[in-house]
Amino acid sequence: MAAKVFESIGKFGLALAVAGGVVNSALYNVDAGHRAVIFDRFRGVQDIVVGEGTHFLIPWVQKPIIFDCRSRPRNVPVITGSKDLQNVNITLRILFRPVASQLPRIYTSIGEDYDERVLPSITTEILKSVVARFDAGELITQRELVSRQVSDDLTERAATFGLILDDVSLTHLTFGKEFTEAVEAKQVAQQEAERARFVVEKAEQQKKAAIISAEGDSKAAELIANSLATAGDGLIELRKLEAAEDIATYQLSRSRNITYLPAGQSVLLQLPQ
């Protein structure tokens, strides 16, 4: 009797385990920010995109393919040429994500590694096309315009593959060794030219100052000559009196070794005999 009970319990446990395995194989989870595409062995890829949560499928017949629909970054380095045939090294940073409604088409025509297959090729194509419109100097001075044109063209191109580009930016832009050396030599020449121009301007200002000073001295001499011709020796006597007054007021009066003696009076000094 006990053997039959244990046998029944074993069969029940086995059936429960099989049922649990079947149920578990019929369930799958789609995490937050992800979407699923169902592949059916008899009907192929289904057009329905499954959202987040736990879902059922037919075991062995159906298989879920999970896609990450969150924005992801990718850096794409490209070596190309400018309008004036200078080598340009550019690194483009792209923030991309797939269009959820087009995931069945992406999986069917491109595959799960769509970013590896699409982004490097279209980025290289667009960068070569845009950079070729500008020379090396314009790539530096008009970097914002270049970045905007790359972003617009690349966004339009990626949309044909079912991709959304949330951000496109130029993170690295350098030129060949020869061009860099030429730019440095040009900067040195410009600095030397500015220094030479400053020296010339300084000499011109000094020349003008000397001319103005000479003209002032000439004008002063002319005025003095006219005054002497008009007033005779009176002007000279006036200047002497002014000079004497200045000496007496500001120089002699402040000296401790100077004593004034009243005129017409005798002053006796007590000197030791």
Side-chain angles (χ1 to χ4, degrees):
M1 184 66 181
K4 291 182 178 180
V5 172
F6 284 115
E7 183 180 355
S8 299
I9 294 175
K11 291 180 179 180
F12 178 76
L14 179 60
L16 186 62
V18 172
V22 172
V23 172
N24 183 63
S25 63
L27 295 176
Y28 67 96
N29 293 323
V30 179
D31 296 332
H34 294 69
R35 297 293 184 273
V37 174
I38 302 300
F39 173 75
D40 191 289
R41 293 182 182 273
F42 299 105
R43 294 180 296 173
V45 178
Q46 304 299 301
D47 294 332
I48 299 175
V49 177
V50 183
E52 303 166 359
T54 301
H55 307 276
F56 289 94
L57 55 75
I58 302 175
W60 186 81
V61 176
Q62 294 179 335
K63 181 181 69 172
I65 296 92
I66 310 297
F67 285 88
D68 188 353
C69 292
R70 297 171 296 183
S71 295
R72 291 179 291 162
R74 183 182 180 89
N75 293 326
V76 181
V78 177
I79 300 177
T80 182
S82 63
K83 186 178 180 181
D84 53 351
L85 304 179
Q86 297 293 335
N87 290 328
V88 184
N89 300 319
I90 299 180
T91 299
L92 198 66
R93 185 181 184 275
I94 304 171
L95 203 61
F96 70 96
R97 57 188 170 90
V99 179
S101 60
Q102 298 188 29
L103 286 176
R105 182 177 70 87
I106 293 175
Y107 179 69
T108 302
S109 59
I110 304 175
E112 294 183 69
D113 56 345
Y114 60 89
D115 55 326
E116 294 287 345
R117 298 187 178 187
V118 173
L119 290 178
S121 59
I122 65 174
T123 301
T124 302
E125 174 191 353
I126 296 300
L127 275 177
K128 287 181 178 293
S129 174
V130 174
V131 172
R133 306 171 195 169
F134 301 87
D135 57 33
E138 291 173 343
L139 290 175
I140 298 175
T141 58
Q142 302 181 25
R143 180 166 180 168
E144 182 179 354
L145 175 61
V146 175
S147 179
R148 184 166 60 251
Q149 289 192 5
V150 170
S151 177
D152 294 342
D153 294 351
L154 190 58
T155 300
E156 181 180 356
R157 189 78 172 89
T160 61
F161 294 94
L163 300 180
I164 298 174
L165 304 185
D166 294 325
D167 181 66
V168 178
S169 57
L170 296 175
T171 59
H172 183 70
L173 176 62
T174 59
F175 299 92
K177 180 180 179 181
E178 295 78 6
F179 179 78
T180 304
E181 292 176 351
V183 170
E184 293 177 353
K186 182 178 179 181
Q187 291 177 345
V188 172
Q190 289 178 345
Q191 292 175 356
E192 292 178 351
E194 288 293 329
R195 189 179 299 109
R197 185 170 63 86
F198 172 75
V199 172
V200 172
E201 291 180 354
K202 182 179 179 181
E204 289 291 337
Q205 294 298 327
Q206 291 176 345
K207 179 180 177 181
K208 291 180 180 179
I211 293 174
I212 293 173
S213 177
E215 291 176 350
D217 294 341
S218 175
K219 187 65 177 178
E222 182 181 355
L223 292 175
I224 292 174
N226 292 335
S227 299
L228 289 175
T230 303
D233 294 339
L235 179 61
I236 297 176
E237 294 297 330
L238 177 62
R239 293 289 183 264
K240 289 181 178 180
L241 291 175
E242 291 176 351
E245 180 182 4
D246 180 70
I247 294 172
T249 303
Y250 297 102
Q251 299 181 20
L252 297 180
S253 63
R254 297 179 181 178
S255 177
R256 297 180 179 179
N257 298 324
I258 301 298
T259 303
Y260 288 96
L261 298 178
Q265 299 182 9
S266 59
V267 178
L268 297 179
L269 300 177
Q270 297 179 357
L271 301 175
Q273 296 180 356

